[in-house]
């Protein structure tokens, strides 16, 4: 699990750099996928360092660990990149 904590911020940095260097105005799907990715990573950060209230932590954990959100993010990013190419 320790690798998870280091790779996610690195991947987020790469994704943000990729987005800043290659914006496309024909589709908003890559931006939507990036927003979902940032949200999931931010929730993980809040959970890891216990920066959110205890009542919110349970819901943040449920959202962060939801496989449907990961699959939806992956599909949105894939379709968005296929439209751009």
């Amino acid at each position: 699990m320790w690798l998870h904590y280091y790779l996610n911020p690195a991947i987020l940095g790469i994704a943000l750099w990729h987005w800043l260097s290659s914006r496309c105005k024909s589709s908003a799907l890559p931006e939507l996928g990036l927003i979902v990715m940032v949200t999931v990573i931010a929730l993980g950060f809040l959970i890891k360092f216990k920066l959110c209230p205890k009542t919110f932590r349970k819901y943040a954990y449920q959202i962060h660990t939801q496989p449907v959100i990961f699959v939806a993010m992956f599909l949105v990013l894939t379709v968005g990149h296929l439209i751009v190419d």
Side-chain angles (χ1 to χ4, degrees):
M1 200 63 154
W2 63 271
L3 194 59
H4 178 88
Y5 301 129
Y6 294 109
L7 285 181
N8 277 344
I11 289 171
L12 178 62
I14 292 169
L16 287 172
W17 175 74
H18 171 66
W19 178 72
L20 287 171
S21 65
S22 62
R23 288 189 213 167
C24 180
K25 303 211 187 307
S26 67
S27 173
L29 289 177
E31 286 83 1
L32 180 63
L34 186 64
I35 290 168
V36 172
M37 180 186 293
V38 168
T39 303
V40 169
I41 291 174
L43 286 174
F45 186 79
L46 291 173
I47 294 166
K48 170 68 177 156
F49 295 107
K50 297 179 179 151
L51 297 173
C52 58
K54 214 171 200 182
T55 57
F56 179 66
R57 196 175 305 151
K58 175 184 174 186
Y59 298 113
Y61 182 79
Q62 288 175 345
I63 293 169
H64 180 76
T65 58
Q66 186 62 246
V68 173
I69 292 176
F70 175 75
V71 171
M73 178 188 65
F74 184 78
L75 289 174
V76 165
L77 287 171
T78 302
V79 170
H81 278 86
L82 289 175
I83 289 172
V84 170
D85 293 339

